[in-house]
C-alpha cells in the first residue's frame, strides 16, 4: 500500500511538472497573441511521437497559420505530414483559406498541386470552394474556368451548381439562373459528353445524368427566392424547370419554406400542385412543424395522424414531441418520441428533447433522458452538446464534470477543446487558454490552441 502511495505521488509529480511547466512557459508570453498560440501549438505538435495524431495536429496548425496570413509557415508544415491523404486534405483547406482571403492565384496554385483523384477528392473540393468564392465576388467566368479542370463530369456539374447558388446568394437571381443554364450547355452539349457520361456510370438514363444538377440548381434557386419572400418569382423559376420531377422538387422546397414562415394556406396550396408520388410529404410535415411552433397542437395532431395514415410516415410526430417540450409538456413530449417507429429517429428526438431540458435548467432530467439513447454516436453528441450549452451559460465546471463522467477519453478531449473555443467566443480568452492547455491529450491540445488562434 505504501509503495502504491509513493508511486502515485511520483506520477502526480511528473504530471504536475509537465502540465505546470507548460502553463508557466506559456503564461510567460502574451496569451492574447495568436502568434503565441500557434507557436505553442506547433511546439507541442513536434513532440507527438505517433504519426497519425501528429499529422492531424500539423493539419490544424497549418490551417490556422494560413487563416492568420502566414501561408509560408502553413506550407512548411504540410511537408512534415507523412500521410498522403492528410497532406492532400491539408492542401485543400489551405487553398480554400487563401481563396477566402482573396488570394486566388495562390489558392489555384495550391489546388493544382493536389494529386488526390478520388470521386470526392481533396482537389475537387478545393477547386469547387475556390470557384464559389470567385462567384461570390462577382467573377463567374473565372469560377467556371476554375472548375473546368475537374475531370469527373458529375462532380464538375456539381461544382458549377455551387457557382450558380453562390451567385443566387448575392441576390442577383436573373444572373444566377443564367449561370445555372451553363450547367446544361457549356459542358453537356460538348463533343465529348457521350464517352464521359457513360464512364461515370452514376445513373441509368443519360437524360437524368445530363441535367440533374441543372434541375437541382433551379430548384435551390427557387427555394432561396421563397426564403426571401419572393413566392411569385420562386414559382416562376420552378415552372421553368423542363423536367417533371425537377419541378416537383422545387415546389416541395418552396412549400416547406412557406410552412416554416407560417404561411400554411400558401404551403398547402403549393403542395397540392406536386404530382409525384409522396412529393407533398415534406411540405405536410413542415406544416405540422409550423403549427406546433405557434401552439396549434390540435390542428398539428390531426394533420400528423393523417400523414401517418396516408403515407405510413410518423416523422411529423417528432415536431409534436419537440414543441411539447418547449411548452413544458415533457410527459407528452416523451410519449410522442417513444412512439416513433425508427430507433435512430427516436434516439435523435430524445437527444433534442434533452437539449431543451438543459436550456430550461432541467439538467438531471436531461442526463437521465440521454441515458435512454441506444445509438452510441447520438448519445455522445448529446453529452457534448449539453456540455457546450452549460459552457455558454458560464457553468464550465459542471460542463467538464458531465463530459468527464459520461464520455470516452477521446470524446472527452473533443469536448474540452470545444469548451475552450466556446469560452473564447464569449470573450473569456484567459479561461479559454487555461482550458486548452489543461487537455492531457497532446493532439487535442494542439487543435484547441490552433482553433483559438483563429477566433
Amino acid at each position: 500500500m505504501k509503495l502504491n502511495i509513493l508511486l502515485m505521488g511520483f506520477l502526480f509529480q511528473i504530471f504536475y511538472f509537465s502540465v505546470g511547466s507548460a502553463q508557466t512557459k506559456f503564461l510567460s508570453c502574451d496569451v492574447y497573441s495568436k502568434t503565441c498560440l500557434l507557436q505553442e501549438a506547433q511546439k507541442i505538435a513536434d513532440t507527438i511521437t505517433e504519426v497519425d495524431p501528429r499529422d492531424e495536429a500539423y493539419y490544424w496548425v497549418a490551417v490556422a497559420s494560413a487563416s492568420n496570413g502566414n501561408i509560408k509557415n502553413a506550407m512548411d508544415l504540410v511537408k512534415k505530414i507523412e500521410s498522403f491523404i492528410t497532406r492532400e486534405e491539408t492542401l485543400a483547406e489551405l487553398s480554400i483559406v487563401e481563396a477566402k482571403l482573396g488570394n486566388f492565384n495562390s489558392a489555384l496554385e495550391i489546388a493544382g498541386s493536389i494529386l488526390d483523384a478520388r470521386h470526392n477528392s481533396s482537389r475537387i473540393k478545393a477547386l469547387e470552394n475556390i470557384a464559389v468564392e470567385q462567384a461570390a465576388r462577382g467573377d463567374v467566368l473565372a469560377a467556371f474556368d476554375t472548375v473546368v479542370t475537374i475531370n469527373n463530369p458529375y462532380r464538375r456539374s456539381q461544382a458549377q451548381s455551387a457557382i450558380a447558388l453562390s451567385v443566387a446568394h448575392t441576390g442577383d437571381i436573373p444572373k444566377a439562373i443564367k449561370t445555372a443554364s451553363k450547367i446544361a450547355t457549356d459542358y453537356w452539349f460538348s463533343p465529348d459528353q457521350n464517352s464521359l457520361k457513360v464512364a461515370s456510370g452514376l445513373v441509368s438514363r443519360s437524360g437524368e445524368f445530363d441535367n440533374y444538377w441543372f434541375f437541382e440548381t433551379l430548384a435551390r434557386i427557387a427555394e432561396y427566392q421563397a426564403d426571401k419572400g419572393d413566392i411569385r418569382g420562386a414559382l416562376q423559376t420552378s415552372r421553368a424547370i423542363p423536367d417533371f420531377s425537377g419541378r416537383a422538387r422545387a415546389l416541395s422546397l418552396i412549400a416547406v419554406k412557406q410552412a416554416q414562415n407560417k404561411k400554411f394556406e400558401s404551403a398547402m396550396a403549393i403542395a397540392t400542385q406536386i404530382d409525384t408520388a409522396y412529393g407533398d410529404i415534406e411540405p405536410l410535415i413542415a406544416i405540422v412543424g409550423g403549427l406546433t411552433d405557434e401552439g396549434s397542437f390540435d390542428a398539428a395532431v390531426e394533420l400528423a395522424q393523417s400523414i401517418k395514415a396516408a403515407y405510413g410516415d410518423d416523422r411529423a410526430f417528432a415536431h409534436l414531441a419537440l414543441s411539447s417540450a418547449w411548452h413544458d409538456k415533457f410527459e407528452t413530449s416523451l410519449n410522442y418520441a417513444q412512439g416513433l417507429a425508427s430507433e435512430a429517429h427516436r434516439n435523435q428526438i430524445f437527444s433534442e428533447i434533452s437539449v431543451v431540458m438543459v436550456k430550461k435548467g432541467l439538467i438531471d432530467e436531461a442526463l437521465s433522458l440521454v441515458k435512454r439513447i441506444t445509438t452510441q454516436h447520438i448519445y455522445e453528441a448529446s453529452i457534448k452538446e449539453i456540455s457546450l450549452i452549460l459552457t455558454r451559460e458560464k457553468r464550465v465546471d459542471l460542463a467538464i464534470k458531465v463530459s468527464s463522467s459520461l464520455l470516452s477519453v477521446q470524446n472527452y478531449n473533443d469536448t474540452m477543446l470545444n469548451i475552450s473555443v466556446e469560452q473564447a467566443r464569449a470573450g473569456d480568452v484567459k479561461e479559454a487558454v487555461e482550458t486548452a492547455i489543461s487537455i492531457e491529450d497532446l493532439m487535442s491540445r494542439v487543435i484547441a490552441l490552433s482553433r483559438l488562434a483563429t477566433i
Side-chain angles (χ1 to χ4, degrees), residues 167-203:
V167 174
H169 282 83
T170 68
D172 193 339
I173 300 302
K175 186 176 180 181
I177 293 174
K178 183 178 179 181
T179 303
S181 69
K182 291 177 177 290
I183 302 170
T185 57
D186 280 8
Y187 172 75
W188 293 116
F189 296 153
S190 61
D192 58 351
Q193 65 165 323
N194 291 328
S195 61
L196 287 174
K197 73 187 179 187
V198 170
S200 73
L202 291 173
V203 296

Side-chain angles (χ1 to χ4, degrees), residues 41-244:
Q42 189 165 332
K43 288 177 185 176
I44 298 170
D46 288 337
T47 68
I48 299 174
T49 56
E50 295 182 45
V51 173
D52 289 344
R54 184 174 66 243
D55 284 349
E56 186 72 10
Y58 283 144
Y59 167 94
W60 284 96
V61 180
V63 172
S65 294
S67 298
N68 285 312
N70 194 347
I71 189 64
K72 181 182 182 303
N73 185 62
M75 293 299 290
D76 287 341
L77 284 168
V78 171
K79 297 173 184 176
K80 293 186 175 185
I81 297 174
E82 296 185 33
S83 164
F84 170 78
I85 292 177
T86 305
R87 185 168 60 251
E88 303 295 87
E89 289 174 347
T90 307
L91 288 171
E93 287 301 320
L94 296 185
S95 70
I96 293 169
V97 169
E98 284 288 87
K100 289 179 178 178
L101 293 174
N103 303 325
F104 291 110
N105 289 336
S106 173
L108 289 168
E109 183 179 352
I110 295 170
S113 71
I114 300 173
L115 302 177
D116 187 356
R118 295 170 298 169
H119 172 64
N120 288 316
S121 74
S122 296
R123 182 174 179 276
I124 291 175
K125 174 186 175 184
L127 291 170
E128 180 176 314
N129 279 274
I130 293 170
V132 165
E133 193 64 35
Q134 289 172 311
R137 295 176 184 233
D139 199 344
V140 175
L141 291 178
F144 270 83
D145 285 343
T146 294
V147 302
V148 78
T149 59
I150 297 176
N151 293 326
N152 183 297
Y154 181 84
R155 289 291 283 114
R156 188 192 310 180
S157 291
Q158 186 175 8
Q160 291 172 334
S161 171
I163 292 171
L165 293 175
S166 180
V167 174
H169 282 83
T170 68
D172 193 339
I173 300 302
K175 186 176 180 181
I177 293 174
K178 183 178 179 181
T179 303
S181 69
K182 291 177 177 290
I183 302 170
T185 57
D186 280 8
Y187 172 75
W188 293 116
F189 296 153
S190 61
D192 58 351
Q193 65 165 323
N194 291 328
S195 61
L196 287 174
K197 73 187 179 187
V198 170
S200 73
L202 291 173
V203 296
S204 58
R205 289 184 293 172
S206 62
E208 292 176 355
F209 181 57
D210 287 3
N211 295 294
Y212 171 78
W213 284 112
F214 174 51
F215 299 151
E216 177 66 11
T217 305
L218 290 178
R220 295 286 299 279
I221 290 173
E223 179 187 30
Y224 177 81
Q225 290 174 283
D227 189 45
K228 296 301 178 182
D230 184 11
I231 301 304
R232 176 175 294 182
L235 292 173
Q236 286 178 339
T237 301
S238 68
R239 295 188 186 107
I241 299 175
D243 173 73
F244 181 74

Side-chain angles (χ1 to χ4, degrees), residues 402-417:
V402 167
S403 57
S404 64
S405 62
L406 296 176
L407 291 174
S408 64
V409 173
Q410 184 55 57
N411 280 297
Y412 170 68
N413 289 329
D414 290 342
T415 303
M416 286 293 287
L417 72 87

